[in-house]
Amino acid sequence: MATIDIEKVLETCLLAGKIMLESDAEMYRVEDTMSRIALASGDYRLVSYVTQTGLFVGLDGTSTIRMVQILNRSINLEKVSRINQLSREYVTGLYTLDELLEQLKCLEQERKFFPLWIRFVSAAVVSGTIMILFGGVWNDLPLTCLIGGFGYMLYYSSLKVLRIKFLSEFLAAFFIGCAALFSSKIGLGINQDMIIIGCVMPLVPGVQMTNALRDLLAGHYLSGVSRGTEAMMTASMIGFAIAFVFQLFY
């Protein structure tokens, strides 16, 4: 295979891994996807080193190494699923390497996000249903949905403006705690504890905790520990905010 083809294989693997890392995929999944692409491109064995902030790839038997820095990460499981599907179709011969690279470039440029009203409704539904599942009363359901929806919108808006992740969770949880306590004091809410539990659930880093555990089980201790630390810091900020509310008003 010519040198230009080797460069293209590395570019394709690197782009696929970059998109997956930016979409918060597990490290072992990133490595497996890139390895399958390289293997299907000419029986190459990919050598890679994957972290949350950087990606290094090379082909065994060659001196070419490529790297990319991961600056932004968000949860986008749809992109992870689509890259997995593209890699499977490439392995079966449905795409050529050029076509796969073009598909990945198009996917990288996609900026599809759910509109704000869908985010609000989703957070409201999650808050209300979790409150009921934890033993709350049905009379608190509308209030829990409203507080949970507005709390998540505050988190989303402050994250875009401040760009400080843990502070955004703190502000949203602080608002939720204040709103739950105030509504209980004026007689709108019955069980303030269940309202708070339900409303903070959209903020809980469930995906990060799950991926941290899966990375640890797969032997990726560096990424597993870093993901777990990030998840614990997020959960701690939520807990600190609620504790601060109780300290202020009790």
Side-chain angles (χ1 to χ4, degrees):
M1 184 176 279
T3 303
I4 187 173
D5 293 326
I6 293 177
E7 291 288 345
K8 190 169 293 184
V9 171
L10 286 176
E11 182 183 1
T12 305
C13 294
L14 197 67
L15 183 56
K18 176 176 179 288
I19 298 173
M20 294 183 76
L21 283 176
E22 290 177 340
S23 303
D24 210 31
E26 306 95 316
M27 302 298 143
Y28 76 88
R29 188 186 300 273
V30 175
E31 289 185 347
D32 182 67
T33 300
M34 294 190 301
S35 297
R36 291 178 184 273
I37 292 175
L39 193 63
S41 299
D43 203 23
Y44 284 111
R45 180 178 177 270
L46 188 78
V47 180
S48 61
Y49 181 71
V50 182
T51 69
Q52 284 187 285
T53 56
L55 175 60
F56 300 81
V57 295
L59 295 177
D60 193 22
T62 69
S63 59
T64 305
I65 297 177
R66 298 281 297 275
M67 68 162 290
V68 65
Q69 187 178 10
I70 308 300
L71 299 176
N72 301 306
R73 286 182 291 113
S74 61
I75 299 175
N76 194 329
L77 300 182
E78 181 182 359
K79 280 191 175 183
V80 176
S81 176
R82 288 179 63 181
I83 290 181
N84 283 336
Q85 184 62 31
L86 285 173
S87 65
R88 294 188 189 100
E89 292 172 348
Y90 174 67
V91 170
T92 59
L94 188 61
Y95 294 117
T96 64
L97 185 61
D98 290 326
E99 291 171 340
L100 176 62
L101 182 58
E102 188 62 31
Q103 291 272 2
L104 291 174
K105 288 180 178 179
C106 293
L107 184 59
E108 184 186 25
Q109 297 302 319
E110 272 191 13
R111 293 294 183 267
K112 291 183 178 179
F113 295 99
F114 290 109
L116 291 179
W117 70 270
I118 291 183
R119 293 172 181 264
F120 177 88
V121 171
S122 300
V125 171
V126 169
S127 301
T129 53
I130 292 296
M131 184 272 296
I132 295 297
L133 287 174
F134 271 82
V137 296
W138 286 97
N139 290 339
D140 285 338
L141 182 62
L143 179 64
T144 305
C145 292
L146 282 176
I147 296 176
F150 282 112
Y152 182 82
M153 294 307 297
L154 176 60
Y155 158 75
Y156 181 76
S157 302
S158 60
L159 185 61
K160 292 187 67 175
V161 174
L162 301 175
R163 298 185 181 277
I164 304 176
K165 178 175 173 55
F166 302 117
L167 180 59
S168 300
E169 276 97 350
F170 181 88
L171 293 175
F174 182 80
F175 165 79
I176 289 170
C178 290
L181 288 181
F182 179 74
S183 61
S184 297
K185 285 186 177 182
I186 65 175
L188 291 178
I190 299 174
N191 192 329
Q192 65 184 22
D193 294 340
M194 293 298 105
I195 294 175
I196 291 174
I197 290 173
C199 292
V200 299
M201 279 301 164
L203 308 176
V204 173
V207 174
Q208 289 92 332
M209 290 188 289
T210 302
N211 286 349
L213 181 59
R214 296 181 72 173
D215 280 339
L216 288 173
L217 292 176
H220 292 268
Y221 301 115
L222 178 62
S223 61
V225 170
S226 63
R227 284 180 190 269
T229 302
E230 182 181 358
M232 285 191 295
M233 288 184 65
T234 301
S236 297
M237 293 304 288
I238 296 172
F240 288 155
I242 300 300
F244 187 55
V245 171
F246 278 92
Q247 185 68 29
L248 281 179
F249 298 104
Y250 273 92

PDB file of all heavy atoms in Angstrom, residues 5 24 33 39 43 52 62 65-66 71 81-82 94 107 112 115 131 133 148-149 162 175 182 184 209 235:
ATOM      1  N   ASP A   5      -1.858   6.140   1.021  1.00  0.00           N
ATOM      2  CA  ASP A   5      -2.939   5.318   1.546  1.00  0.00           C
ATOM      3  C   ASP A   5      -2.784   5.095   3.053  1.00  0.00           C
ATOM      4  O   ASP A   5      -3.775   5.075   3.790  1.00  0.00           O
ATOM      5  CB  ASP A   5      -2.977   3.975   0.823  1.00  0.00           C
ATOM      6  CG  ASP A   5      -3.371   4.109  -0.636  1.00  0.00           C
ATOM      7  OD1 ASP A   5      -4.186   4.990  -0.939  1.00  0.00           O
ATOM      8  OD2 ASP A   5      -2.843   3.343  -1.449  1.00  0.00           O
ATOM      9  N   ASP A  24     -18.079  11.424  24.132  1.00  0.00           N
ATOM     10  CA  ASP A  24     -18.023  10.744  25.431  1.00  0.00           C
ATOM     11  C   ASP A  24     -18.182   9.236  25.318  1.00  0.00           C
ATOM     12  O   ASP A  24     -18.840   8.606  26.159  1.00  0.00           O
ATOM     13  CB  ASP A  24     -19.067  11.312  26.397  1.00  0.00           C
ATOM     14  CG  ASP A  24     -18.619  11.209  27.848  1.00  0.00           C
ATOM     15  OD1 ASP A  24     -17.408  11.282  28.092  1.00  0.00           O
ATOM     16  OD2 ASP A  24     -19.483  11.048  28.728  1.00  0.00           O
ATOM     17  N   THR A  33     -13.029   0.374  17.526  1.00  0.00           N
ATOM     18  CA  THR A  33     -13.527   0.889  16.253  1.00  0.00           C
ATOM     19  C   THR A  33     -12.382   1.256  15.327  1.00  0.00           C
ATOM     20  O   THR A  33     -12.387   0.912  14.135  1.00  0.00           O
ATOM     21  CB  THR A  33     -14.424   2.122  16.495  1.00  0.00           C
ATOM     22  OG1 THR A  33     -15.537   1.748  17.310  1.00  0.00           O
ATOM     23  CG2 THR A  33     -14.941   2.688  15.178  1.00  0.00           C
ATOM     24  N   LEU A  39      -7.744  -2.602  10.245  1.00  0.00           N
ATOM     25  CA  LEU A  39      -7.630  -3.993   9.810  1.00  0.00           C
ATOM     26  C   LEU A  39      -8.330  -4.214   8.482  1.00  0.00           C
ATOM     27  O   LEU A  39      -7.829  -4.930   7.606  1.00  0.00           O
ATOM     28  CB  LEU A  39      -8.226  -4.913  10.885  1.00  0.00           C
ATOM     29  CG  LEU A  39      -7.924  -6.406  10.769  1.00  0.00           C
ATOM     30  CD1 LEU A  39      -6.430  -6.659  10.893  1.00  0.00           C
ATOM     31  CD2 LEU A  39      -8.689  -7.182  11.827  1.00  0.00           C
ATOM     32  N   ASP A  43      -5.241  -4.985   6.311  1.00  0.00           N
ATOM     33  CA  ASP A  43      -4.685  -5.903   7.300  1.00  0.00           C
ATOM     34  C   ASP A  43      -3.617  -5.240   8.157  1.00  0.00           C
ATOM     35  O   ASP A  43      -2.613  -5.847   8.519  1.00  0.00           O
ATOM     36  CB  ASP A  43      -4.106  -7.145   6.606  1.00  0.00           C
ATOM     37  CG  ASP A  43      -4.045  -8.340   7.552  1.00  0.00           C
ATOM     38  OD1 ASP A  43      -4.814  -8.347   8.535  1.00  0.00           O
ATOM     39  OD2 ASP A  43      -3.225  -9.245   7.323  1.00  0.00           O
ATOM     40  N   GLN A  52      -8.759  10.943  27.628  1.00  0.00           N
ATOM     41  CA  GLN A  52      -9.879  11.856  27.465  1.00  0.00           C
ATOM     42  C   GLN A  52      -9.469  13.168  26.795  1.00  0.00           C
ATOM     43  O   GLN A  52     -10.308  13.867  26.252  1.00  0.00           O
ATOM     44  CB  GLN A  52     -10.529  12.156  28.815  1.00  0.00           C
ATOM     45  CG  GLN A  52     -11.395  11.029  29.339  1.00  0.00           C
ATOM     46  CD  GLN A  52     -12.135  11.427  30.584  1.00  0.00           C
ATOM     47  OE1 GLN A  52     -11.552  11.503  31.660  1.00  0.00           O
ATOM     48  NE2 GLN A  52     -13.409  11.705  30.458  1.00  0.00           N
ATOM     49  N   THR A  62       5.180   0.712  10.623  1.00  0.00           N
ATOM     50  CA  THR A  62       5.445   1.982   9.941  1.00  0.00           C
ATOM     51  C   THR A  62       5.957   2.993  10.968  1.00  0.00           C
ATOM     52  O   THR A  62       5.825   2.807  12.175  1.00  0.00           O
ATOM     53  CB  THR A  62       4.174   2.543   9.269  1.00  0.00           C
ATOM     54  OG1 THR A  62       3.247   2.969  10.278  1.00  0.00           O
ATOM     55  CG2 THR A  62       3.520   1.491   8.391  1.00  0.00           C
ATOM     56  N   ILE A  65       3.099   8.407  12.828  1.00  0.00           N
ATOM     57  CA  ILE A  65       2.257   8.534  14.017  1.00  0.00           C
ATOM     58  C   ILE A  65       1.470   9.827  13.894  1.00  0.00           C
ATOM     59  O   ILE A  65       2.005  10.862  13.509  1.00  0.00           O
ATOM     60  CB  ILE A  65       3.096   8.538  15.307  1.00  0.00           C
ATOM     61  CG1 ILE A  65       3.842   7.206  15.473  1.00  0.00           C
ATOM     62  CG2 ILE A  65       2.215   8.777  16.531  1.00  0.00           C
ATOM     63  CD1 ILE A  65       4.746   7.170  16.679  1.00  0.00           C
ATOM     64  N   ARG A  66       0.203   9.765  14.207  1.00  0.00           N
ATOM     65  CA  ARG A  66      -0.652  10.953  14.183  1.00  0.00           C
ATOM     66  C   ARG A  66      -1.275  11.137  15.562  1.00  0.00           C
ATOM     67  O   ARG A  66      -1.491  10.170  16.298  1.00  0.00           O
ATOM     68  CB  ARG A  66      -1.767  10.788  13.137  1.00  0.00           C
ATOM     69  CG  ARG A  66      -1.279  10.630  11.708  1.00  0.00           C
ATOM     70  CD  ARG A  66      -0.891  11.952  11.108  1.00  0.00           C
ATOM     71  NE  ARG A  66      -2.033  12.842  11.017  1.00  0.00           N
ATOM     72  CZ  ARG A  66      -2.899  12.834   9.980  1.00  0.00           C
ATOM     73  NH1 ARG A  66      -2.733  12.001   8.988  1.00  0.00           N
ATOM     74  NH2 ARG A  66      -3.901  13.689   9.972  1.00  0.00           N
ATOM     75  N   LEU A  71     -10.427  18.865  22.838  1.00  0.00           N
ATOM     76  CA  LEU A  71     -10.660  20.080  23.607  1.00  0.00           C
ATOM     77  C   LEU A  71     -12.065  20.148  24.196  1.00  0.00           C
ATOM     78  O   LEU A  71     -12.256  20.682  25.292  1.00  0.00           O
ATOM     79  CB  LEU A  71     -10.412  21.307  22.725  1.00  0.00           C
ATOM     80  CG  LEU A  71      -8.989  21.451  22.171  1.00  0.00           C
ATOM     81  CD1 LEU A  71      -8.900  22.642  21.234  1.00  0.00           C
ATOM     82  CD2 LEU A  71      -7.980  21.587  23.294  1.00  0.00           C
ATOM     83  N   SER A  81     -23.114   5.856  18.087  1.00  0.00           N
ATOM     84  CA  SER A  81     -23.823   4.766  17.411  1.00  0.00           C
ATOM     85  C   SER A  81     -23.628   4.824  15.899  1.00  0.00           C
ATOM     86  O   SER A  81     -23.421   3.795  15.250  1.00  0.00           O
ATOM     87  CB  SER A  81     -25.310   4.834  17.767  1.00  0.00           C
ATOM     88  OG  SER A  81     -26.040   3.853  17.062  1.00  0.00           O
ATOM     89  N   ARG A  82     -23.656   6.020  15.344  1.00  0.00           N
ATOM     90  CA  ARG A  82     -23.513   6.154  13.886  1.00  0.00           C
ATOM     91  C   ARG A  82     -22.112   5.780  13.424  1.00  0.00           C
ATOM     92  O   ARG A  82     -21.945   5.161  12.364  1.00  0.00           O
ATOM     93  CB  ARG A  82     -23.866   7.582  13.469  1.00  0.00           C
ATOM     94  CG  ARG A  82     -25.361   7.881  13.570  1.00  0.00           C
ATOM     95  CD  ARG A  82     -25.678   9.304  13.180  1.00  0.00           C
ATOM     96  NE  ARG A  82     -25.340   9.591  11.792  1.00  0.00           N
ATOM     97  CZ  ARG A  82     -25.511  10.775  11.220  1.00  0.00           C
ATOM     98  NH1 ARG A  82     -26.037  11.772  11.931  1.00  0.00           N
ATOM     99  NH2 ARG A  82     -25.184  10.968   9.967  1.00  0.00           N
ATOM    100  N   LEU A  94     -19.266  -2.153   2.287  1.00  0.00           N
ATOM    101  CA  LEU A  94     -20.293  -1.272   1.762  1.00  0.00           C
ATOM    102  C   LEU A  94     -19.720   0.084   1.356  1.00  0.00           C
ATOM    103  O   LEU A  94     -20.228   0.726   0.435  1.00  0.00           O
ATOM    104  CB  LEU A  94     -21.399  -1.078   2.811  1.00  0.00           C
ATOM    105  CG  LEU A  94     -22.658  -0.341   2.357  1.00  0.00           C
ATOM    106  CD1 LEU A  94     -23.340  -1.093   1.219  1.00  0.00           C
ATOM    107  CD2 LEU A  94     -23.624  -0.167   3.529  1.00  0.00           C
ATOM    108  N   LEU A 107     -20.156  13.884   9.371  1.00  0.00           N
ATOM    109  CA  LEU A 107     -20.658  13.665  10.723  1.00  0.00           C
ATOM    110  C   LEU A 107     -20.006  14.618  11.719  1.00  0.00           C
ATOM    111  O   LEU A 107     -20.654  15.100  12.645  1.00  0.00           O
ATOM    112  CB  LEU A 107     -20.404  12.210  11.127  1.00  0.00           C
ATOM    113  CG  LEU A 107     -20.944  11.762  12.488  1.00  0.00           C
ATOM    114  CD1 LEU A 107     -22.450  11.934  12.560  1.00  0.00           C
ATOM    115  CD2 LEU A 107     -20.550  10.316  12.769  1.00  0.00           C
ATOM    116  N   LYS A 112     -26.371  18.929  15.315  1.00  0.00           N
ATOM    117  CA  LYS A 112     -27.779  18.720  15.615  1.00  0.00           C
ATOM    118  C   LYS A 112     -27.982  18.618  17.121  1.00  0.00           C
ATOM    119  O   LYS A 112     -27.338  17.808  17.794  1.00  0.00           O
ATOM    120  CB  LYS A 112     -28.289  17.439  14.943  1.00  0.00           C
ATOM    121  CG  LYS A 112     -28.365  17.524  13.430  1.00  0.00           C
ATOM    122  CD  LYS A 112     -28.937  16.241  12.841  1.00  0.00           C
ATOM    123  CE  LYS A 112     -29.060  16.318  11.333  1.00  0.00           C
ATOM    124  NZ  LYS A 112     -29.593  15.046  10.765  1.00  0.00           N
ATOM    125  N   PRO A 115     -34.071  20.974  20.494  1.00  0.00           N
ATOM    126  CA  PRO A 115     -34.457  22.348  20.865  1.00  0.00           C
ATOM    127  C   PRO A 115     -34.687  22.466  22.361  1.00  0.00           C
ATOM    128  O   PRO A 115     -34.899  21.476  23.076  1.00  0.00           O
ATOM    129  CB  PRO A 115     -35.747  22.574  20.065  1.00  0.00           C
ATOM    130  CG  PRO A 115     -36.240  21.214  19.710  1.00  0.00           C
ATOM    131  CD  PRO A 115     -35.037  20.342  19.586  1.00  0.00           C
ATOM    132  N   MET A 131     -39.296  11.328  41.132  1.00  0.00           N
ATOM    133  CA  MET A 131     -39.875  11.698  42.425  1.00  0.00           C
ATOM    134  C   MET A 131     -40.932  10.672  42.850  1.00  0.00           C
ATOM    135  O   MET A 131     -40.956  10.238  44.016  1.00  0.00           O
ATOM    136  CB  MET A 131     -40.493  13.097  42.332  1.00  0.00           C
ATOM    137  CG  MET A 131     -41.053  13.640  43.635  1.00  0.00           C
ATOM    138  SD  MET A 131     -42.789  13.177  43.942  1.00  0.00           S
ATOM    139  CE  MET A 131     -43.619  13.999  42.568  1.00  0.00           C
ATOM    140  N   LEU A 133     -41.143   7.511  41.800  1.00  0.00           N
ATOM    141  CA  LEU A 133     -40.489   6.224  42.031  1.00  0.00           C
ATOM    142  C   LEU A 133     -39.810   6.159  43.393  1.00  0.00           C
ATOM    143  O   LEU A 133     -39.721   5.084  44.009  1.00  0.00           O
ATOM    144  CB  LEU A 133     -39.459   5.963  40.924  1.00  0.00           C
ATOM    145  CG  LEU A 133     -40.019   5.613  39.545  1.00  0.00           C
ATOM    146  CD1 LEU A 133     -38.895   5.519  38.518  1.00  0.00           C
ATOM    147  CD2 LEU A 133     -40.785   4.294  39.593  1.00  0.00           C
ATOM    148  N   GLY A 148     -37.868  20.949  38.179  1.00  0.00           N
ATOM    149  CA  GLY A 148     -36.851  20.170  37.482  1.00  0.00           C
ATOM    150  C   GLY A 148     -36.554  20.710  36.094  1.00  0.00           C
ATOM    151  O   GLY A 148     -35.395  20.788  35.675  1.00  0.00           O
ATOM    152  N   GLY A 149     -37.597  21.107  35.366  1.00  0.00           N
ATOM    153  CA  GLY A 149     -37.401  21.661  34.036  1.00  0.00           C
ATOM    154  C   GLY A 149     -36.641  22.972  34.063  1.00  0.00           C
ATOM    155  O   GLY A 149     -35.672  23.166  33.315  1.00  0.00           O
ATOM    156  N   LEU A 162     -21.116  30.658  31.158  1.00  0.00           N
ATOM    157  CA  LEU A 162     -19.952  30.647  32.036  1.00  0.00           C
ATOM    158  C   LEU A 162     -18.861  29.688  31.566  1.00  0.00           C
ATOM    159  O   LEU A 162     -17.684  29.916  31.817  1.00  0.00           O
ATOM    160  CB  LEU A 162     -20.382  30.261  33.457  1.00  0.00           C
ATOM    161  CG  LEU A 162     -21.415  31.176  34.119  1.00  0.00           C
ATOM    162  CD1 LEU A 162     -21.824  30.611  35.464  1.00  0.00           C
ATOM    163  CD2 LEU A 162     -20.865  32.591  34.283  1.00  0.00           C
ATOM    164  N   PHE A 175     -30.623  26.448  42.883  1.00  0.00           N
ATOM    165  CA  PHE A 175     -31.966  26.915  42.513  1.00  0.00           C
ATOM    166  C   PHE A 175     -33.019  25.880  42.874  1.00  0.00           C
ATOM    167  O   PHE A 175     -34.086  26.221  43.410  1.00  0.00           O
ATOM    168  CB  PHE A 175     -32.014  27.221  41.017  1.00  0.00           C
ATOM    169  CG  PHE A 175     -33.408  27.352  40.471  1.00  0.00           C
ATOM    170  CD1 PHE A 175     -34.132  28.524  40.653  1.00  0.00           C
ATOM    171  CD2 PHE A 175     -34.010  26.294  39.791  1.00  0.00           C
ATOM    172  CE1 PHE A 175     -35.424  28.648  40.166  1.00  0.00           C
ATOM    173  CE2 PHE A 175     -35.301  26.410  39.297  1.00  0.00           C
ATOM    174  CZ  PHE A 175     -36.007  27.590  39.490  1.00  0.00           C
ATOM    175  N   PHE A 182     -38.883  26.800  49.345  1.00  0.00           N
ATOM    176  CA  PHE A 182     -39.838  27.909  49.328  1.00  0.00           C
ATOM    177  C   PHE A 182     -41.251  27.407  49.040  1.00  0.00           C
ATOM    178  O   PHE A 182     -42.215  27.828  49.691  1.00  0.00           O
ATOM    179  CB  PHE A 182     -39.416  28.924  48.283  1.00  0.00           C
ATOM    180  CG  PHE A 182     -40.347  30.094  48.161  1.00  0.00           C
ATOM    181  CD1 PHE A 182     -40.375  31.091  49.132  1.00  0.00           C
ATOM    182  CD2 PHE A 182     -41.218  30.200  47.078  1.00  0.00           C
ATOM    183  CE1 PHE A 182     -41.257  32.167  49.025  1.00  0.00           C
ATOM    184  CE2 PHE A 182     -42.095  31.262  46.963  1.00  0.00           C
ATOM    185  CZ  PHE A 182     -42.114  32.250  47.949  1.00  0.00           C
ATOM    186  N   SER A 184     -42.463  24.491  49.624  1.00  0.00           N
ATOM    187  CA  SER A 184     -42.971  23.735  50.778  1.00  0.00           C
ATOM    188  C   SER A 184     -43.427  24.665  51.902  1.00  0.00           C
ATOM    189  O   SER A 184     -44.438  24.414  52.559  1.00  0.00           O
ATOM    190  CB  SER A 184     -41.884  22.787  51.299  1.00  0.00           C
ATOM    191  OG  SER A 184     -41.543  21.830  50.318  1.00  0.00           O
ATOM    192  N   MET A 209     -20.514   8.010  35.115  1.00  0.00           N
ATOM    193  CA  MET A 209     -20.259   6.949  36.084  1.00  0.00           C
ATOM    194  C   MET A 209     -20.264   5.582  35.414  1.00  0.00           C
ATOM    195  O   MET A 209     -19.422   4.723  35.721  1.00  0.00           O
ATOM    196  CB  MET A 209     -21.298   7.015  37.208  1.00  0.00           C
ATOM    197  CG  MET A 209     -21.132   8.211  38.124  1.00  0.00           C
ATOM    198  SD  MET A 209     -22.195   8.175  39.583  1.00  0.00           S
ATOM    199  CE  MET A 209     -23.797   8.489  38.840  1.00  0.00           C
ATOM    200  N   ALA A 235     -21.214  15.184  41.203  1.00  0.00           N
ATOM    201  CA  ALA A 235     -22.150  14.789  42.255  1.00  0.00           C
ATOM    202  C   ALA A 235     -21.903  15.568  43.543  1.00  0.00           C
ATOM    203  O   ALA A 235     -22.852  15.937  44.252  1.00  0.00           O
ATOM    204  CB  ALA A 235     -22.033  13.285  42.509  1.00  0.00           C
TER     205      ALA A 235
END
